[in-house]
Amino acid sequence: MSKTLQPALALSTLALLAGCLGGNDSSILAGGDGPTVTNPNEETPVELEPGDGIRVLSNRADLISDGNALVEITAEDPANLQNVKVMLGSVDVSDQFALRENGRYMGRIQGLALGENRIMAVLKNTGRIVTTINNHPNGGPVFSGPQVQPWTCTNEGAMDAQCNQPAVFSFSYLPANKLQHVLTNSNFQEQEFAPTFLPYDPENPPPASEIAMTTTDNGVTVPFIIRTERGVQNRDRYQIRTLFNPAEDWQPWKPQPQWNGKVLIHHGGNVGVTYGPGNPPNGDISGTAPDGAEFLLGDSITVALGRGFIATSTALANLGHNVNLVTAAESLMMVKERIVEQYGEIRYTMGTGCSGGAIAQQHIANAYPGIYQGIIVQCSYPDVWTTATQFADYNLLNSYFGNRYPGVNEAENANQFPNFNQNFLPYVQWSAVYGHLPVNPVLSDNAFFPKAYPYAQNCRGLNGAAMPYDPVNNPGGLRCGLIDYMSTQFGFRTSDVWSANEKKIGRGFGGIPLDNVGVQYGLGALKQGTITANQFLDLNRNIGGFDVDIQRVANRTVADPLALANSYKTGAVNTAEHLSNIPIIDLRGPDPGIAHDAFHSWQMRARLNATQGHFDNHVIWFGQLVLAGDSTYSTEALLVMDRWLSQIEADESNKPLPEKVVANKPRAARDKCLSAQSIYADDGPFVPMSGNLLYPDPVLPMANSSSIPKPPPEAGQIFDQLSNQVCGLDFSAFDPTGMSGQLTGPIAELQHVLVQTRFGTPRTVAGDDIRTLTNKCVLKPVDAADYAGAVSITDSAAFVAQVKEIFPQGVCDYSKPGVGTQATQTWLRYGTATEKLIGGTPLPVKPANSRQGWSASAFRNVNSQ
């Protein structure tokens, strides 16, 4: 039978169902109240025994997709599970259920019609138990509302406009001598790396001696053969990989023994939009490093597979492919449902990823709690839309300073650059205003800011399906930028602020969720004496802002109120209220100014501290490898996170989940500052900077880590939380004169400036705190006291008068929460395929007895929905 019934059959089934139930049983069809029970021969309800029920394991009963659901029938008296009759509407599906070898009465129910489906189980002595499953299309949407259009299917197997196709399976294996394989088959000079896995043909397998063996963390030793499932959900591709024996069957109630019940989700980097399917990412730092470099740069995914994890990823949860974090969360929900239905129930799920992969994890964990039970973030940002404010400030400052270069905006004339501003000393004074080395703003402009522009000659995935927006020639065309791609979340601009083009086409463009009205750029530099009063005034008089086309204009950027409020409500701005339920390990390296500021790790820590009153669930590992800390950290963090989650899983107390997270924190889950400490790790030794080339069999002259000499106390490690400075070696410890670092102190200070985290943003220089959650500030009157001590101000009254002229509405008051700031609401839905709910509305309460297959009971809580 087809997974989804044909419409005619679905209608007839519903008609028969309505006739069979009669008018007195209409309450049975109401979803959300859990199962009810009636006598099989009478319509009068009878009392349900506590253990009798229908459990929908693979997802919430109202969010099921693709016509399948893993279901368990339970009974207080096991004798009542003999010859259970199960009905899907008027169709007998009893043959899809049985008492399985695990002692549970389970079935993967198939043939669910779109919409509500009545499931009835008739127990031997108790009577009828009834519940409702609401099924959605495999092509989506489930809760994300009307889908991005146009969408061009590029998968060759696409059977319809939703890109649906049957899943495709392939096999691969890890070579027995992986080190030799990598060294022999890689061209390091050309950055061409040998593939981690080689193709495996079950009909013509390689010799067993050429296949690596692995022992999982549950003690099962098997050949390192991986089955990869690739398919399409929600119009885009997903991937599921696991150790697999091709000669054996696998059912969700009887998984192959090497699966440990754990899932690792990995993500891609960057940020972007597209209008057609992409590919699921691979690699811990996928999207930010060359493909195939996993063994050199860290490969926790292969380690996880070898330990018995399922590893999965989706194209839609790759931020570089899809900036819409609601559809990203929806795709992960759907792939987790498929794992439960096809592979079995999940103990816990952890995430990993760098840059955009870190944003996706931290956003989804906060706005859709329950998808992850733990996350590992590298080179992280907390979200897209406070970072967007930082990068917008960089762009404006770059234009003002003349620190601009060709290629940022295809609509600009490259002959205009560079044109340095004569009022400021290049680089030296720029840094004082940027809050960062000048290379960071330039790289941010070239790498990320072009994605903000609404017009692009090569709009990814469009394939001629629509004409892109052009402000002159096609104002009604498709706007191919980040903001309009988020219009379901942010909303549209109101008619009172419409541009000429919006008036011409009679509709508003996507609302802008950021603002710089009242921002005093360079205020901190003025107070420190790094820039003069005249420079401060000229900068703020001429900095300007952006119009709706993200073009620089003389006036400041004004946020659209609905978009601003919705950016907080929907979680697009990560306010971190709902992250106390998960452990977080943040992997961070020196910040040389390449658009991944180390400060963002402490930015998230400050947000956690503000909402939780602590950051005990947040661990930072700093190391010497740029951005990521160390190439071994991703693997080491996987093992520590696994231990952390397994200890939470084993906690059978009645403590709230946030308390369990802190109470079960392992000793190795602590802040650390030197990657050399990994040599002494509980799961080590890990040889610094060796990736996975030497794991799990490091080539060391000593037999074990305990015999490795400990570094002398003089080497020192510094971790100054108050200044948000991560540590490395403090060179003052080696001052041979004993003069308390007087000779080497300046060297140490230079080290802090160049490779540590004493960087901020234009907004922190302007007075915002490290959280930088204020995308639009509350204004206050200009006050002369705010400039006291600025030595370059010779006439305070004249200076204040000019500031008032520049800021007639007032200046930012960062002592107050930003305009529109509010707590993130969890598990919002944005409508159906045809109904759009701008800004979202909360899902109804989770139906009883559903989604238990997503995690062990210790992780379930009210907010996980």
Side-chain angles (χ1 to χ4, degrees):
M1 181 182 293
S2 172
K3 284 188 174 182
T4 304
L5 295 176
Q6 297 297 322
L9 178 56
L11 289 174
S12 63
T13 300
L14 289 174
L16 284 171
L17 175 58
C20 291
L21 287 176
N24 295 329
D25 260 353
S26 59
S27 62
I28 293 177
L29 286 175
D33 295 326
T36 59
V37 61
T38 63
N39 186 285
N41 300 315
E42 300 177 8
E43 295 299 324
T44 305
V46 298
E47 185 176 354
L48 184 67
E49 294 293 331
D52 295 350
I54 299 176
R55 304 173 68 204
V56 181
L57 301 173
S58 47
N59 202 350
R60 285 177 49 137
D62 57 348
L63 299 180
I64 291 292
S65 62
D66 195 27
N68 298 327
L70 186 65
V71 174
E72 178 183 11
I73 312 296
T74 64
E76 184 75 13
D77 182 358
N80 288 344
L81 292 177
Q82 297 178 18
N83 301 318
V84 175
K85 184 176 183 179
V86 184
M87 300 293 293
L88 167 57
S90 60
V91 179
D92 190 334
V93 292
S94 303
D95 60 349
Q96 298 178 11
F97 287 80
L99 186 63
R100 306 299 180 180
E101 293 181 26
N102 60 10
R104 299 162 65 186
Y105 207 92
M106 301 175 70
R108 182 170 52 232
I109 196 166
Q110 302 180 62
L112 296 170
L114 293 177
E116 289 189 341
N117 293 262
R118 178 179 185 261
I119 311 298
M120 180 180 70
V122 183
L123 302 186
K124 182 178 179 182
N125 296 315
T126 304
R128 299 186 307 166
I129 305 172
V130 179
T131 194
T132 300
I133 293 178
N134 197 341
N135 176 52
H136 302 77
N138 180 66
V142 180
F143 59 71
S144 63
Q147 296 174 310
V148 167
Q149 297 294 345
W151 191 265
T152 305
C153 298
T154 56
N155 49 318
E156 295 180 359
M159 301 183 298
D160 54 34
Q162 296 296 88
C163 310
N164 288 312
Q165 70 174 60
V168 176
F169 300 90
S170 62
F171 293 88
S172 57
Y173 72 96
L174 187 70
N177 192 331
K178 62 182 181 182
L179 178 58
Q180 180 180 355
H181 165 72
V182 171
L183 296 178
T184 304
N185 297 287
S186 296
N187 185 338
F188 297 104
Q189 185 174 0
E190 300 295 330
Q191 292 190 3
E192 296 174 354
F193 302 100
T196 303
F197 293 93
L198 297 176
Y200 177 92
D201 182 357
E203 302 299 322
N204 186 27
S209 60
E210 296 182 7
I211 303 174
M213 299 295 291
T214 186
T215 299
T216 66
D217 60 19
N218 54 7
V220 178
T221 300
V222 293
F224 209 133
I225 300 170
I226 298 298
R227 189 183 78 167
T228 299
E229 173 187 341
R230 288 175 67 89
V232 172
Q233 295 177 317
N234 215 7
R235 307 189 304 173
D236 218 328
R237 297 181 178 97
Y238 71 87
Q239 175 180 276
I240 301 171
R241 291 189 293 172
T242 184
L243 288 171
F244 201 94
N245 182 345
E248 293 184 3
D249 187 31
W250 188 315
Q251 295 294 338
W253 42 83
K254 189 182 179 183
Q256 291 188 8
Q258 66 273 14
W259 184 37
N260 57 19
K262 307 169 189 177
V263 173
L264 177 70
I265 301 173
H266 42 98
H267 303 78
N270 214 312
V271 60
V273 304
T274 192
Y275 291 85
N279 288 310
N282 284 310
D284 293 302
I285 50 179
S286 180
T288 55
D291 290 340
E294 292 87 0
F295 274 116
L296 293 175
L297 299 175
D299 184 18
S300 69
I301 299 167
T302 297
V303 173
L305 287 167
R307 291 175 64 84
F309 282 70
I310 281 177
T312 188
S313 61
T314 71
L316 286 177
N318 174 6
L319 204 70
H321 170 70
N322 170 46
V323 74
N324 189 318
L325 291 163
V326 174
T327 51
E330 185 175 63
S331 75
L332 294 183
M333 178 194 73
M334 294 174 78
V335 80
K336 285 194 70 171
E337 177 187 327
R338 183 167 182 87
I339 289 171
V340 176
E341 289 168 356
Q342 302 296 327
Y343 295 84
E345 295 166 279
I346 301 169
R347 292 168 56 191
Y348 49 77
T349 300
M350 65 178 75
T352 185
C354 168
S355 188
I359 295 175
Q361 291 181 78
Q362 293 183 131
H363 165 89
I364 293 170
N366 190 54
Y368 292 90
I371 288 179
Y372 309 98
Q373 280 66 61
I375 58 175
I376 301 168
V377 297
Q378 291 179 284
C379 36
S380 72
Y381 305 91
D383 59 53
V384 172
W385 296 102
T386 52
T387 305
T389 299
Q390 177 187 352
F391 289 174
D393 286 344
Y394 282 159
N395 186 273
L396 292 173
L397 289 168
N398 286 344
S399 296
Y400 174 82
F401 290 140
N403 190 24
R404 295 288 302 282
Y405 297 89
V408 176
N409 181 355
E410 61 190 40
E412 293 176 322
N413 182 354
N415 295 326
Q416 297 175 353
F417 308 114
N419 184 20
F420 290 166
N421 187 314
Q422 299 302 309
N423 294 327
F424 278 76
L425 291 174
Y427 308 112
V428 176
Q429 288 187 308
W430 293 355
S431 294
V433 178
Y434 287 135
H436 207 289
L437 299 177
V439 67
N440 197 58
V442 174
L443 287 177
S444 299
D445 261 4
N446 283 280
F448 303 118
F449 203 75
K451 312 292 178 61
Y453 295 110
Y455 45 93
Q457 294 177 357
N458 298 309
C459 186
R460 290 194 305 168
L462 200 54
N463 295 323
M467 292 297 294
Y469 172 81
D470 185 287
V472 176
N473 300 315
N474 190 25
L478 178 74
R479 290 169 64 85
C480 187
L482 302 182
I483 290 175
D484 290 271
Y485 207 76
M486 296 283 289
S487 61
T488 303
Q489 287 85 67
F490 292 165
F492 299 92
R493 285 159 50 88
T494 53
S495 58
D496 58 309
V497 296
W498 280 0
S499 64
N501 276 340
E502 289 170 295
K503 293 175 181 176
K504 185 181 298 184
I505 65 174
R507 58 180 172 84
F509 297 144
I512 299 174
L514 49 90
D515 184 290
N516 70 339
V517 174
V519 176
Q520 299 186 81
Y521 291 99
L523 177 62
L526 171 68
K527 292 180 177 181
Q528 293 172 358
T530 313
I531 65 173
T532 68
N534 287 335
Q535 288 175 318
F536 172 82
L537 294 170
D538 187 78
L539 167 63
N540 284 284
R541 183 177 290 114
N542 295 296
I543 186 68
F546 297 107
D547 64 14
V548 71
D549 286 341
I550 318 300
Q551 293 299 298
R552 187 171 180 266
V553 293
N555 297 326
R556 299 281 182 119
T557 309
V558 179
D560 294 291
L562 179 63
L564 182 68
N566 280 345
S567 68
Y568 292 97
K569 171 189 173 184
T570 63
V573 170
N574 190 346
T575 46
E577 289 93 354
H578 311 294
L579 293 177
S580 62
N581 294 328
I582 62 167
I584 305 169
I585 300 180
D586 188 317
L587 312 179
R588 180 61 73 180
D591 178 10
I594 54 177
H596 290 80
D597 314 26
F599 122 88
H600 288 297
S601 296
W602 281 262
Q603 179 188 30
M604 176 54 79
R605 174 163 283 187
R607 294 182 185 185
L608 290 169
N609 195 51
T611 58
Q612 300 174 182
H614 67 85
F615 46 85
D616 294 338
N617 60 321
H618 187 248
V619 175
I620 298 175
W621 288 357
F622 190 82
Q624 286 62 60
L625 179 65
V626 171
L627 302 184
D630 195 284
S631 61
T632 65
Y633 271 0
S634 56
T635 294
E636 186 180 354
L638 171 84
L639 302 177
V640 173
M641 179 63 73
D642 188 24
R643 186 178 303 113
W644 199 341
L645 295 178
S646 67
Q647 291 176 186
I648 297 172
E649 179 188 32
D651 188 340
E652 298 180 354
S653 70
N654 293 323
K655 294 177 183 176
L657 181 54
E659 293 184 21
K660 290 184 180 182
V661 169
V662 174
N664 292 284
K665 186 176 179 180
R667 183 173 60 90
R670 66 184 186 278
D671 291 353
K672 67 179 179 180
C673 314
L674 298 172
S675 54
Q677 293 181 17
S678 297
I679 297 176
Y680 314 106
D682 295 344
D683 303 290
F686 294 90
V687 180
M689 309 297 183
S690 66
N692 276 18
L693 280 172
L694 305 178
Y695 179 83
D697 301 308
V699 180
L700 292 173
M702 285 72 73
N704 56 66
S705 60
S706 63
S707 62
I708 300 173
K710 303 297 187 292
E714 291 79 12
Q717 63 183 57
I718 309 300
F719 190 11
D720 185 352
Q721 292 180 335
L722 295 178
S723 65
N724 297 300
Q725 170 196 324
V726 75
C727 73
L729 293 174
D730 186 346
F731 291 120
S732 64
F734 296 98
D735 187 348
T737 66
M739 298 175 65
S740 303
Q742 293 181 30
L743 297 180
T744 56
I747 299 176
E749 184 63 26
L750 179 64
Q751 176 202 26
H752 295 321
V753 171
L754 294 179
V755 300
Q756 298 194 17
T757 61
R758 292 185 180 178
F759 294 135
T761 73
R763 294 295 168 103
T764 60
V765 175
D768 201 358
D769 65 46
I770 188 175
R771 294 174 297 162
T772 51
L773 275 170
T774 304
N775 271 14
K776 179 179 178 62
C777 66
V778 171
L779 299 177
K780 66 176 183 178
V782 175
D783 185 349
D786 290 341
Y787 314 101
V791 296
S792 63
I793 300 176
T794 56
D795 185 337
S796 178
F799 175 82
V800 169
Q802 292 187 70
V803 174
K804 288 181 178 179
E805 178 187 343
I806 296 169
F807 297 100
Q809 299 171 283
V811 295
C812 285
D813 183 355
Y814 287 113
S815 68
K816 297 179 180 178
V819 177
T821 303
Q822 58 186 284
T824 297
Q825 296 185 28
T826 62
W827 285 93
L828 296 181
R829 60 180 292 267
Y830 295 85
T832 64
T834 56
E835 174 199 23
K836 181 180 290 187
L837 299 175
I838 298 294
T841 187
L843 285 167
V845 175
K846 182 177 70 173
N849 292 326
S850 62
R851 195 179 269 177
Q852 290 98 329
W854 268 33
S855 65
S857 60
F859 296 100
R860 297 176 202 152
N861 62 86
V862 175
N863 287 334
S864 69
Q865 283 290 305

